Amino acid sequence: DVKVTQSSRYLVKRTGEKVFLECVQDMDHENMFWYRQDPGLGLRLIYFSYDVKMKEKGDIPEGYSVSREKKERFSLILESASTNQTSMYLCASTERANEKLFFGSGTQLSVL
Amino acid sequence: SQKIEQNSEALNIQEGKTATLTCNYTNYSPAYLQWYRQDPGRGPVFLLLIRENEKEKRKERLKVTFDTTLKQSLFHITASQPADSATYLCALPFGGGYNKLIFGAGTRLAVHP
């Protein structure tokens, strides 16, 4: 089975800190995604990448950036963390467009 | 803009009954629709994909219907078990050829013994 691994399950950071969330998939998937999930709002797409060094903005990219230097790794960066970025962050991958997503277990980020 | 609606209230049913969850969407004609299961503190897990030319799809105790006229999908779990208790999310694609999915907020299902 595909494994998508997120580096941390829980993370606590202070306002203004630069935060790195790491995601690694082991199935050579082309496409990788970062979502955030908030109660009552569902999953919202932050950024996605369809190839190494390629990225596209999702619905809510403000305050975030991403990096994909290697095919298996997709990093989400909070340039200057704010309290409204407290959320569950989910990474996902898929081999081809229009196929099912494989999700990691998520990182619960708290910004104080 | 595209909008997906799922029942925000939890669905409580007795073990052995059929659970039916609803996913409605507006302003869109998706080529397919996906259903995921999410347990607390975990990432969603893919369950089923149904395409616009398929009226119904089954997988073990799961059945999904897709009515493109009503803009609605129904997700059924027959002979439900307490282990089926989870949040169920529907998702629709958007954005050209890339697999960008819009997710509904999900419906929490609780199956009681």
Side-chain angles (χ1 to χ4, degrees), chain A residues 55-105:
Chain A
K55 60 186 179 184
E56 291 279 345
K57 293 180 180 179
D59 292 330
I60 51 166
E62 297 78 18
Y64 303 94
S65 62
V66 290
S67 172
R68 191 154 181 216
E69 296 297 319
K70 293 184 178 181
K71 193 174 186 180
E72 68 271 17
R73 186 181 297 272
F74 192 33
S75 302
L76 180 69
I77 303 153
L78 285 66
E79 299 291 344
S80 177
S82 62
T83 55
N84 62 12
Q85 292 179 310
T86 291
S87 186
M88 168 71 89
Y89 289 88
L90 290 160
C91 174
S93 72
T94 185
E95 185 173 4
R96 285 179 289 272
N98 302 315
E99 292 190 356
K100 61 185 178 183
L101 296 184
F102 293 88
F103 282 88
S105 292

Side-chain angles (χ1 to χ4, degrees), chain B residues 4 6 18 22 25 27 33 35 40 43 55 85-86 91 96 98-99 105:
Chain B
I4 301 177
Q6 294 186 255
T18 296
T22 303
Y25 59 93
N27 300 329
L33 184 148
W35 283 90
K55 296 294 184 187
S85 299
Y98 299 115
N99 192 16

Side-chain angles (χ1 to χ4, degrees), chain B residues 2-70:
Chain B
Q2 301 91 350
K3 188 176 180 182
I4 301 177
E5 293 181 347
Q6 294 186 255
N7 288 348
S8 57
E9 292 185 11
L11 178 63
N12 291 281
I13 64 168
Q14 285 297 120
E15 183 176 7
K17 301 292 186 182
T18 296
T20 299
L21 287 70
T22 303
C23 176
N24 295 300
Y25 59 93
T26 59
N27 300 329
Y28 192 47
S29 296
Y32 62 88
L33 184 148
Q34 298 183 9
W35 283 90
Y36 289 78
R37 169 185 172 139
Q38 186 174 24
D39 292 289
R42 313 297 295 182
V45 175
F46 172 81
L47 295 174
L48 282 166
L49 181 154
I50 185 166
R51 302 190 185 282
E52 60 181 339
N53 61 348
E54 298 175 311
K55 296 294 184 187
E56 180 181 298
K57 199 155 191 179
R58 294 175 184 262
K59 178 182 176 183
E60 298 173 350
R61 294 184 296 109
L62 309 180
K63 184 179 86 170
V64 172
T65 63
F66 193 12
D67 189 323
T68 55
T69 301
L70 292 178

Side-chain angles (χ1 to χ4, degrees), chain A residues 10-25:
Chain A
Y10 302 96
L11 212 52
V12 180
K13 296 292 181 181
R14 296 211 174 272
T15 301
E17 280 192 73
K18 190 169 186 176
V19 182
F20 293 85
L21 302 182
E22 306 287 343
C23 176
V24 176
Q25 50 94 4

